[in-house]
Each structure stands twice: as C-alpha cells, then as structure tokens.
C-alpha cells in the first residue's frame, strides 16, 4: 500500500510547474503488471492498471478492486500497445510496471520480441520481474490476492520473499534474462506462476470482502528457456537443486528423516543460514567434468528422532543426513536440466572462461554435449545450533514421567 501511494505521489510531483516531462495523473493509466499471450497468430498484451481512487483513501479507499485489466492485440508489441487507445481514454504509463507474465504459447513462440521491445524503449525498466504461466497470462492478472489491493505489486514482493527465505525460485528481471540469453550458453530459467483453484468459487472482484480466497496465485515450477524459447518445465525440488548447482541458495529449509528407509517421513528439519557453491570445470579424455563443492551452515528447527543431540556422534549423524539430502536435491536438478538440454546453470560459461580455445570447438554443439558432462557434487554441512534441549519433546516427556 505504501509503495502504491508513493508511485501516485511521484506521478503527482511530475505534474508540478517546472517539470519538463509532465505526466498528468488524470491523463495516464499507471500499469503495474503486463501479460503476454500468443493467440491466432498475434501477440495479445494484457495490462493491469491501478485505479487511483480505490487506493488513495487513508484506509484503502474502496472495498472493490483497485485495478482494471484489459487487453489489446496485434502482430507486434508496439502496435498492440498503440491499439490500447481504442479501449482506454488514458495513455499507458509503463514506468512503474513491476512484472511481466508470459503465457505458455507465447513462451514457446519466443521471448525475442519482448526483449527487443525492452531494448528499444526508454520507458521500459530492465528491473521488471519476468514470470511464465502454463495458462493464459490475462487469467493471472485478473486474479486478486488476499491482503493486497495491487496484485502486481504483491507478486513482486512474493518472489523477493521466496528468493530470500526459501531459494526454490530466483527473482528474474528483464536484465537477468537478457544477460543469460546473451551469454555463451544462451539459456535461463524463469519462475512459473499458477492459479490454484479452491472450492466454493466467487467473483474475483468480490474477493477483498471474503475471509478466504476461492483461488490463489502461487509459485509452482521453473520454466527452462533455450535460445529464446520454452523447452520444458522442472518441479519445485528440481528448481531448488538447480539453485544449489548455480550458487544461488541464500536461506532455505531442508527436511530429513530419522530412518534410512526410503519411505521414511522427513519429519525433522534444519534451516540453512549460509551457503556457497564452488564450481570447477575440467577436461580429460575428450569429456567435460564439473565439480560442485557445496558448503553450508544451519540450525536445527525440528528434531523428532531418538537420541541425545548433545553428543557429538548424533550431531555428525544429522550433518551427514543433511549433506546427502542437499546432494540428492542438487543431482535431481542436474538430471532435469540435462534431460532438457538446457544449461541454465551456466556450466558452459565456466568452460568458456577457463578454456576459451576449447570452448570455440564446443559452442556450436554445446546443447548436445551438455548432457554428457560429468557432474560431481560434494557437500559439507555444519550444524551450528541445536536449541536448548538434547532430546526431543516426546523423549523429555517420557523421561519426566519415570
């Protein structure tokens, strides 16, 4: 809410005398999010615009939706934007656009035209977050979010919170995508937004007056982009594994089981508070190898196993379980991207930097060579804190009863 009002204040200030680039608030439609779809051989652009009156009051103003959503369609992006004047009396103002959602069909068609538009237009910010959707992008932009009046801003904060606290998905901006797709490997991974439908539907515009929402937007998967086209999807765990390989894990929670049985529940957990992944490429007998050395540190959150963790051997046992869990997760990410021939972790960039001459021989065929790369993952985990008790609650309860 504070951010929205700050945006409106900035626009109002821009209308004061002495400002060379005037933007009258009653003449513009402030775009907070944009959707990109591909339908019937044309680009369909959807705009989520802010309704100032709905959010300008001290208590949030109107109880209705604070946004308006509409679309325009054409053979290219700028023509579609120009056609927006046929549906709105205000000029679209993109300087505060916070995210772009690209539908599945548009992503398979290619992100090239979207990125070209951002390279050519001064009013397009490169720090806009980019997401994919398996459904129609407009459907997501029409969806309201509990506790929030501006869904675009809420999604922007949601990915920031996810990156800082869970590390399954990274916050990817237009600039990040450009850097990845213009690198040696020309591949990137983009977080996927999905709409989880719940029972007991209600009109989207009425959701702000409900105690719970019939549907919700959530981060669900990672889309793999090669060149500029979507080539596949990976799930939540595989996406976190990719981040371990890519040295982009900040903080995350790792669950582990007390038993070594595969079917055992992971009912205990630790919190990773510090992590680093060092990646080293090497070349031998005509084959590439990447050694990934992961060092992490964390604290015990839940302990439902038997045994006194004040004893060093129990601590070491937990550390070994966490190391294996991290290693397994990282390798699941490797299997996913190698199956899709998508070097979204930048192994090719490492090779290019260390072996520039050999890379010239590999670059044209890297997508085929990449899956044959040997990846070795070594993990070292240190449990820094375990809490105030050596035993779990159930064990303490049993001991006090004796």
């Amino acid at each position: 809410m504070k951010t929205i009002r700050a945006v409106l204040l900035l626009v109002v200030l821009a209308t004061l005398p002495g400002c060379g680039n005037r933007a009258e608030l009653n003449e513009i439609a402030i775009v907070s999010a944009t959707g990109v779809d591909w339908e019937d051989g044309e680009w369909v652009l959807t705009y989520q615009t802010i309704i100032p009156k709905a959010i300008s009051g001290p208590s949030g103003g109107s109880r209705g939706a604070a946004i308006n959503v509409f679309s325009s369609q054409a053979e290219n992006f700028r023509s579609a934007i120009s056609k927006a004047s046929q549906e709105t009396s205000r000029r679209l103002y993109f300087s505060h656009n916070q995210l772009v959602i690209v539908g599945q069909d548009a992503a398979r068609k290619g992100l090239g035209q979207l990125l070209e538009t951002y390279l050519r237009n001064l009013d397009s910010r490169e720090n806009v977050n980019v997401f994919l959707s398996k459904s129609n992008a407009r459907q997501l932009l029409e969806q309201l979010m509990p506790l929030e009046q501006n869904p675009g801003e809420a999604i922007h904060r949601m990915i920031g919170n996810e990156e800082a606290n869970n590390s399954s998905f990274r916050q990817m901006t237009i600039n990040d995508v450009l850097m990845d797709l213009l690198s040696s490997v020309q591949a990137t991974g983009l977080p996927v937004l999905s709409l989880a439908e719940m029972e007991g539907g209600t009109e989207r515009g009425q959701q702000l007056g409900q105690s719970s929402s019939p549907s919700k937007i959530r981060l669900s998967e990672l889309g793999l982009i090669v060149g500029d086209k979507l080539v596949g999807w990976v799930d939540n765990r595989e996406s976190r594994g990719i981040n371990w390989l890519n040295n982009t894990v900040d903080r995350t929670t790792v669950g582990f089981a007390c038993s070594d049985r595969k079917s055992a529940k992971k009912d205990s957990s630790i919190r990773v508070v510090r992590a680093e992944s060092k990646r080293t490429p090497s070349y031998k007998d005509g084959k590439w190898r990447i050694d990934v050395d992961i060092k992490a540190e964390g604290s015990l959150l839940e302990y439902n196993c038997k045994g006194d963790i004040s004893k060093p051997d129990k601590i070491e046992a937990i550390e070994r379980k966490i190391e294996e869990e991290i290693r397994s997760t990282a390798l699941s990410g490797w299997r996913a991207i190698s199956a899709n021939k998508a070097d979204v972790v930048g192994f090719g960039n490492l090779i290019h930097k260390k072996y520039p001459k050999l890379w010239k021989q590999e670059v044209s065929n890297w997508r085929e060579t990449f899956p044959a790369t040997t990846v070795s993952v070594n993990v070292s985990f240190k449990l820094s804190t375990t809490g105030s008790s050596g035993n779990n609650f159930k064990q303490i309860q049993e001991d006090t009863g004796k």
Side-chain angles (χ1 to χ4, degrees):
M1 179 61 67
K2 291 182 179 179
T3 303
I4 301 172
R5 290 174 181 168
V7 168
L8 296 175
L9 178 60
L10 287 173
V11 175
V12 171
L13 290 175
T15 68
L16 297 176
C19 294
N21 211 3
R22 295 168 61 100
E24 298 290 349
L25 187 58
N26 62 352
E27 296 177 357
I28 63 174
I30 301 173
V31 179
S32 60
T34 308
V36 180
D37 289 301
W38 177 257
E39 296 178 6
D40 302 323
E42 291 188 327
W43 296 105
V44 179
L45 301 189
T46 300
Y47 320 96
Q48 184 185 98
T49 60
I50 298 171
I51 301 175
K53 289 183 179 179
I55 60 176
S56 59
S59 60
S62 171
R63 293 289 293 174
I67 58 167
N68 178 53
V69 177
F70 68 97
S71 302
S72 59
Q73 183 172 340
E75 293 181 349
N76 61 73
F77 277 48
R78 296 311 297 187
S79 294
I81 293 173
S82 297
K83 280 188 176 182
S85 62
Q86 298 173 6
E87 294 191 37
T88 179
S89 59
R90 302 188 177 196
R91 175 174 60 88
L92 296 180
Y93 189 76
F94 287 95
S95 293
H96 296 289
N97 186 44
Q98 295 183 306
L99 60 95
V100 175
I101 302 174
V102 183
Q104 179 174 190
D105 291 340
R108 294 196 183 279
K109 174 68 177 175
L111 303 183
Q113 197 151 351
L114 168 66
L115 298 174
E116 172 68 16
T117 301
Y118 270 85
L119 284 172
R120 303 293 170 194
N121 295 278
L122 297 178
D123 62 340
S124 300
R125 300 187 306 161
E126 293 183 358
N127 61 347
V128 172
N129 289 137
V130 187
F131 298 89
L132 297 180
S133 169
K134 283 190 171 181
S135 62
N136 185 285
R138 172 164 182 156
Q139 183 182 11
L140 287 170
L141 292 183
E142 289 177 333
Q143 179 68 33
L144 300 181
M145 295 184 71
L147 306 178
E148 307 290 348
Q149 287 189 303
N150 182 352
E153 183 182 1
I155 294 172
H156 174 76
R157 292 202 304 270
M158 181 172 68
I159 186 62
N161 182 46
E162 157 63 25
E163 183 180 47
N165 294 293
N166 194 41
S167 296
S168 288
F169 304 100
R170 290 174 57 200
Q171 186 170 199
M172 295 296 294
T173 66
I174 286 287
N175 184 66
D176 294 327
V177 176
L178 283 167
M179 293 294 288
D180 284 350
L181 297 186
L182 294 176
S183 71
S184 300
V185 298
Q186 298 183 3
T188 193
L190 296 177
V192 177
L193 292 172
S194 64
L195 193 61
E197 297 290 346
M198 312 294 285
E199 295 183 0
T202 185
E203 294 296 324
R204 289 188 177 96
Q206 297 176 352
Q207 288 178 18
L208 290 177
Q210 306 294 323
S211 60
S212 62
S213 175
S215 56
K216 60 181 179 180
I217 295 175
R218 64 184 179 90
L219 292 160
S220 57
E221 296 172 86
L222 187 76
L224 305 178
I225 305 291
V226 177
D228 72 331
K229 294 179 173 59
L230 175 68
V231 298
W233 316 92
V234 300
D235 64 27
N236 193 300
R237 183 171 186 263
E238 293 164 341
S239 179
R240 186 183 292 118
I242 290 169
N243 285 337
W244 279 114
L245 295 174
N246 207 20
N247 192 29
T248 49
V249 169
D250 188 4
R251 294 171 181 266
T252 190
T253 300
V254 178
F256 65 94
C258 301
S259 170
D260 292 330
R261 289 183 292 106
K262 290 184 177 181
S263 59
K265 291 184 178 181
K266 298 176 183 178
D267 56 359
S268 299
S269 65
I270 61 94
R271 178 69 171 167
V272 173
V273 297
R274 196 172 293 106
E276 180 182 10
S277 302
K278 183 179 179 181
R279 299 146 351 133
T280 307
S282 59
Y283 187 73
K284 185 177 181 180
D285 299 329
K287 294 184 178 180
W288 291 106
R289 176 187 174 97
I290 305 290
D291 288 294
V292 182
D293 293 302
I294 300 173
K295 291 184 178 181
E297 183 180 334
S299 56
L300 189 63
L301 294 182
E302 301 168 275
Y303 184 66
N304 292 297
C305 308
K306 294 181 179 180
D308 188 350
I309 55 175
S310 63
K311 297 179 179 180
D313 62 323
K314 292 298 181 182
I315 294 293
E316 290 178 7
I318 294 173
E319 291 175 338
R320 299 297 84 77
K321 286 180 178 293
I322 299 302
E323 289 170 354
E324 180 53 36
E325 183 62 32
I326 293 174
R327 181 177 181 277
S328 175
T329 301
L331 289 176
S332 74
W334 165 244
R335 288 190 293 270
I337 60 177
S338 60
N340 284 280
K341 302 178 181 179
D343 185 7
V344 299
V345 291
F347 286 166
N349 294 333
L350 299 174
I351 294 171
H352 186 189
K353 185 177 180 180
K354 188 173 181 178
Y355 302 97
K357 291 183 179 180
L358 287 175
W359 177 251
K360 288 182 180 180
Q361 302 171 19
E362 294 283 2
V363 61
S364 61
N365 199 42
W366 178 240
R367 192 174 181 197
E368 300 303 322
T369 306
F370 171 66
T373 303
T374 298
V375 175
S376 175
V377 179
N378 179 60
V379 183
S380 175
F381 177 77
K382 180 183 178 181
L383 190 61
S384 55
T385 58
T386 60
S388 59
S389 174
N391 291 311
N392 64 47
F393 170 76
K394 284 293 185 180
Q395 186 64 53
I396 296 172
Q397 194 175 48
E398 289 178 9
D399 292 343
T400 56
K402 293 178 180 179

